[in-house]
Amino acid sequence: MSSPTKLACHECDQVVIIPALSDGQKAICPRCGFVFTRYFKKARSRLLAFSSSSLVFLLLSFVFPFLIFTTQGNEKVISLVQGLQSMGSGTYLSVVLFMLATTVLVPVMTLTGINYTLISAKLDKPLPFTRHILKLVFLLQPWNMAEIFLLGILVSMIKIASLGDVQFGWSFYSFVLYIISMAATRVFLDKYQVWQWFRHHDKRAYSYER
Amino acid sequence: MSAKGVKSDAQLIEPLSQDNVASSNKIVTCAMCYQSSDHQQSECPYCGTVLHVRKKNSLQNTVALLVTSIVLYVPANIYPIMYTTSIGDEIASTIVGGVITLWEQQFYPIALIIFVASVMVPVAKILALSWLVYSVQSNRIISRKNNQVMFRITEFIGRWSMVDVFAVTILVALIERGNLMKVMPGVALIAFAAMVVTTMLAAFSFESRLIWDNPDKNKGKNTNV
Ligand SMILES: [Zn+2]
Ligand SMILES: [Zn+2]
């Protein structure tokens, strides 16, 4: 259970007190409807389970063939990273780099960061740079576009359906599993709750009482 | 001056007043770690994030980014997003052209997804943000709550416009050059990607607390609906 905290809503500036919440309960701003937080029992171990499985699925999707494209007897096997690299020239490089960053780099960094901070929260004294890493994890959130990439793959499949035969490789299925477990990770990656874990054992925590 | 409790999973029924906004309570809460501190603090004492009672130059930045995205929207739609070459014939296709082709090939759901993500969402986003800036600046408020919901949707859906950019990028990677078939990216690919990024940044730079700031002209008891 979290203790009551006084704060101002990020979206409308209403001052509220977040009460102790029971399992699955949300705290919603009475003025604008902003969801401050959602409390889950055992959120930490659930987050660890989903974020580590997300990371495993994501890393596995780099290893195997992603797509197998057959046209006029020619078979082309494409892996995720190789597929992203192959058009790396000219001004279009920027688009490729953007896609690489938002679908590979950001997810890997985010998941590694979450797992690092979770280990850190288990220890008596947090690991170095925990707060910086946690900040980065939350700042990168809107730039994780892996699920959009997946939809992009399906769209491109349909566009070339008439030209040849496309088969999904093991990596593709692993990537789908990554998207699913990442969605579960997001449910338990609650800004308010996550920072709260560190405040409990952080003596430097500043409390505002007035 | 006391703070209101938050009912979980339900809205508070008591009327709220302007007395309960943070600016009159002189506190500022860190958007990153939820640490509350004195409104004169410039940095969060817990996580070091820069604190703003209101984001600086929010409206100017939003407008500048919106204008940029409108400018980028033009080449993104006029120029081809990709060129397909098969047996010597080069076909250039624009974003809308791609949607029409998919529709003609009877891939209706995908055609609709691309149309919504690439054509409707960017326009809706630009219109929504322009309305919000206008509404805040001229204090012309129809419903603060609707404005807030509009802003939240704008913030959330913007990323999905990237679908077509990713699809074309994947196509280029998928089809080897030098074969009978060749797919090359067009100028619109970059223009469109840049437009999506600028609209996302425009949404991030908009200060949503401004939606709630100006007191209503008609001094009703309930200022929040
Ligand atoms: Zn609020
Ligand atoms: Zn902070």
Side-chain angles (χ1 to χ4, degrees), chain B residues 19-169:
Chain B
D19 296 342
N20 269 320
V21 297
S23 42
S24 39
N25 273 261
K26 300 204 191 316
I27 76 165
V28 58
T29 300
C30 176
M32 171 54 74
C33 75
Y34 286 82
Q35 176 71 56
S36 291
S37 42
D38 192 274
H39 72 302
Q40 280 165 334
Q41 284 272 348
S42 57
E43 231 175 53
C44 173
Y46 188 68
C47 75
T49 303
V50 178
L51 295 174
H52 302 285
V53 175
R54 296 290 177 275
K55 286 177 195 163
K56 276 199 182 121
N57 305 326
S58 156
L59 294 183
Q60 288 95 314
N61 291 342
T62 307
V63 169
L65 287 159
L66 273 178
V67 171
T68 314
S69 55
I70 293 166
V71 169
L72 286 165
Y73 190 78
V74 178
N77 279 284
I78 290 176
Y79 293 110
I81 193 163
M82 67 171 186
Y83 302 91
T84 321
T85 318
S86 65
I87 329 159
D89 280 337
E90 193 181 67
I91 306 158
S93 50
T94 56
I95 291 170
V96 178
V99 174
I100 294 168
T101 311
L102 283 171
W103 188 265
E104 283 169 352
Q105 290 170 337
Q106 298 179 323
F107 296 119
Y108 302 123
I110 290 288
L112 270 176
I113 289 172
I114 298 293
F115 182 72
V116 171
S118 307
V119 183
M120 276 171 67
V121 167
V123 173
K125 244 189 113 164
I126 288 168
L127 287 177
L129 282 172
S130 307
W131 158 252
L132 288 174
V133 170
Y134 170 75
S135 169
V136 161
Q137 200 143 44
S138 64
N139 201 13
R140 214 172 267 258
I141 299 142
I142 296 167
S143 159
R144 291 176 201 265
K145 208 147 197 170
N146 285 355
N147 279 358
Q148 186 65 51
V149 170
M150 196 190 280
F151 175 64
R152 250 172 239 154
I153 295 172
T154 304
E155 237 183 346
F156 173 76
I157 54 165
R159 318 153 355 102
W160 286 93
S161 299
M162 276 294 177
V163 162
D164 211 25
V165 171
F166 285 1
V168 170
T169 312

Side-chain angles (χ1 to χ4, degrees), chain A residues 9-14 29-34 36, chain B residues 152 212:
Chain A
C9 176
H10 303 320
E11 300 209 327
C12 76
D13 228 9
Q14 173 69 42
C29 175
R31 194 187 193 194
C32 75
F34 178 73
F36 292 109
Chain B
R152 250 172 239 154
W212 302 86

Side-chain angles (χ1 to χ4, degrees), chain A:
Chain A
M1 285 273 171
S2 49
S3 53
T5 320
K6 183 177 173 178
L7 52 86
C9 176
H10 303 320
E11 300 209 327
C12 76
D13 228 9
Q14 173 69 42
V15 176
V16 294
I17 286 170
I18 307 266
L21 301 168
S22 55
D23 192 29
Q25 251 189 332
K26 284 180 198 166
I28 300 165
C29 175
R31 194 187 193 194
C32 75
F34 178 73
V35 179
F36 292 109
T37 179
R38 187 161 186 197
Y39 176 80
F40 285 103
K41 272 182 190 163
K42 293 178 190 156
R44 231 191 277 191
S45 49
R46 290 186 195 179
L47 180 60
L48 182 64
F50 285 116
S51 64
S52 49
S53 56
S54 301
L55 188 59
V56 171
F57 287 134
L58 181 60
L59 293 178
L60 279 179
S61 65
F62 298 150
V63 184
F64 304 108
F66 203 84
L67 295 169
I68 301 133
F69 181 55
T70 322
T71 172
Q72 292 142 349
N74 282 337
E75 200 182 73
K76 196 190 179 191
V77 178
I78 292 177
S79 74
L80 188 58
V81 182
Q82 173 206 340
L84 287 164
Q85 280 171 345
S86 62
M87 68 178 283
S89 67
T91 36
Y92 303 101
L93 183 64
S94 56
V95 180
V96 180
L97 286 179
F98 182 82
M99 196 163 89
L100 191 71
T102 53
T103 59
V104 176
L105 204 63
V106 168
V108 169
M109 282 172 73
T110 306
L111 288 167
T112 319
I114 295 169
N115 287 304
Y116 182 89
T117 47
L118 280 168
I119 294 164
S120 187
K122 284 224 156 107
L123 305 171
D124 295 332
K125 198 168 160 270
L127 294 168
F129 303 115
T130 297
R131 278 186 234 184
H132 297 90
I133 290 167
L134 204 47
K135 266 168 82 172
L136 191 67
V137 165
F138 288 118
L139 287 174
L140 287 176
Q141 284 267 75
W143 302 101
N144 182 345
M145 300 193 180
E147 66 274 35
I148 301 165
F149 178 75
L150 189 65
L151 187 58
I153 289 173
L154 298 175
V155 171
S156 65
M157 307 271 81
I158 285 166
K159 283 192 175 177
I160 54 164
S162 57
L163 303 172
D165 186 39
V166 187
Q167 280 178 297
F168 298 124
W170 283 110
S171 278
F172 177 82
Y173 297 110
S174 187
F175 198 75
V176 173
L177 289 173
Y178 154 71
I179 301 284
I180 295 165
S181 47
M182 190 63 211
T185 306
R186 284 207 185 99
V187 174
F188 299 106
L189 188 69
D190 186 298
K191 252 190 201 175
Y192 180 84
Q193 302 293 342
V194 173
W195 284 103
Q196 210 74 358
W197 301 336
F198 295 98
R199 286 220 179 77
H200 281 314
H201 63 57
D202 199 328
K203 301 211 165 48
R204 278 195 288 168
Y206 178 97
S207 72
Y208 183 82
E209 330 259 6
R210 231 191 313 170

